[in-house]
Amino acid sequence: MAGSNGRMFYNVKHAAQRHFSPSRLVLIPTPSVRGTQTIARAVTLIKAVATRPQQGWRLTDLAAHCGYDKGSAHRMLAGLVQQRMVQQRGSDKHYVPGPLLFELGLGVPDLSAFRAACLPALARLQRNAPGVAFLYLRSGDEFVCAARVGPNTLKGLSVEVGTRRPMVVSAGGTAILLALPSAEQKQVLAANFRQIESFGAARLAAVQKMLRRSRRHGHGINLADVVPGIHALGVPLFGADGRAFASISVAGPAQTLPKARLEAVVGLLRAEVRAIEGERLSQPHPL
């Protein structure tokens, strides 16, 4: 019998209709629900693939990461490869982001303009605070790296353009997190900690230590908590609606970003934020 809301219907075998038993009740998703679930599962795969744009994923690892059985993951990936959303690298058969993802991104003009407006600020930061400067965008409970300026030789610093990680694991992501309303912060942290727990207690303790210090300072600050020998600072960017949707940050060796210089670097970050926000760019990235 179809449900009035169109979401589910009940299928009961005719032989049991005169002698109804709850054990014989079978709940079957309607086509609309199945379609929505399929889309959500495919998007989960795409987001996971995007977290390793260089390394890529083996099928077995990707399926386990997403909580899917290997067969289902393989069928969905085959469809995504056909549509060029994902590609399978010939050298090692790893799954990596496909060209259609980039092409679709070109159709978001406000976001492209915002990124372009931030690049000069990142270049100035990198010159004045030697290391690497980043632009992060909020993406649900995560951040995604939208731009990076600086050398690729810093050991342990593996964030590249397109990298996607839990918001709380970096100074730039934490800067966005701390600018969110309290209830929203709690929701994001709960989701982030569930992800981080799989990496072990030591990693979770390091991230929590960075978060406590960042709360005290009022901005993202990582003093070699997550990556040994690397210091990082981050401050949020706000959209026209007053919501934090992005951040700029700098990261580098403790020798070039010593504790004695951190306050001055935060001043540089905030000055660049004022310059960027002074352009009165509308918020480009839906949360």
Side-chain angles (χ1 to χ4, degrees):
M1 182 173 65
S4 60
N5 60 8
R7 295 178 61 194
M8 295 285 184
F9 68 88
Y10 296 109
N11 180 19
V12 183
K13 293 182 178 180
H14 292 296
Q17 285 179 348
R18 289 183 300 169
H19 306 285
F20 176 77
S21 170
S23 64
R24 296 181 182 271
L25 188 65
V26 181
L27 192 62
I28 303 176
T30 64
S32 63
V33 173
R34 287 196 297 269
T36 301
Q37 292 172 342
T38 300
I39 292 171
R41 285 163 63 84
V43 169
T44 296
L45 276 174
I46 294 169
K47 289 171 66 177
V49 169
T51 65
R52 294 185 181 178
Q54 302 298 327
Q55 178 183 357
W57 289 87
R58 296 189 310 162
L59 172 60
T60 301
D61 295 336
L62 181 58
H65 176 81
C66 295
Y68 302 159
D69 66 82
K70 188 175 176 179
S72 296
H74 184 263
R75 286 191 295 274
M76 286 188 285
L77 285 166
L80 293 171
V81 168
Q82 186 178 23
Q83 297 300 322
R84 300 170 58 247
M85 297 286 282
V86 173
Q87 54 188 342
Q88 191 173 23
R89 197 160 50 203
S91 60
D92 56 13
K93 301 301 182 182
H94 285 194
Y95 291 95
V96 295
L100 185 58
L101 294 180
F102 174 78
E103 295 163 14
L104 292 174
L106 296 174
V108 189
D110 288 344
L111 183 55
S112 298
F114 171 74
R115 181 182 182 276
C118 290
L119 289 176
L122 297 184
R124 288 190 296 268
L125 283 169
Q126 198 275 328
R127 287 195 303 269
N128 295 320
V132 182
F134 296 99
L135 170 66
Y136 292 165
L137 298 177
R138 182 186 178 186
S139 179
D141 298 330
E142 302 171 320
F143 73 82
V144 60
C145 179
R148 168 183 169 143
V149 176
N152 294 318
T153 55
L154 290 180
K155 185 177 180 180
L157 197 59
S158 59
V159 176
E160 305 290 343
V161 172
T163 296
R164 176 185 297 272
R165 290 184 180 161
M167 205 180 298
V168 75
V169 303
S170 72
T174 298
I176 301 172
L177 174 70
L178 295 181
L180 301 179
S182 178
E184 196 170 357
Q185 281 189 41
K186 292 179 181 178
Q187 293 174 355
V188 171
L189 282 173
N192 282 188
F193 287 157
R194 284 195 296 271
Q195 287 182 267
I196 298 167
E197 283 173 353
S198 64
F199 295 100
R203 180 63 178 271
L204 181 59
V207 169
Q208 291 173 330
K209 181 179 179 182
M210 182 186 70
L211 177 61
R212 290 192 296 270
R213 183 188 296 109
S214 297
R215 288 193 189 279
R216 292 196 300 270
H217 285 80
H219 55 77
I221 176 169
N222 177 6
L223 299 181
D225 300 308
V226 178
V227 180
I230 298 293
H231 287 181
L233 298 161
V235 296
L237 282 155
F238 295 87
D241 62 356
R243 291 177 60 86
F245 73 99
S247 72
I248 55 174
S249 59
V250 291
Q255 297 90 333
T256 60
L257 286 177
K259 292 181 181 180
R261 198 176 172 218
L262 296 184
E263 186 174 346
V265 174
V266 171
L268 293 174
L269 285 164
R270 295 198 185 281
E272 294 297 349
V273 164
R274 289 192 294 271
I276 294 168
E277 292 180 344
E279 296 291 332
R280 298 185 182 279
L281 294 170
S282 61
Q283 179 174 330
H285 196 60
L287 303 181

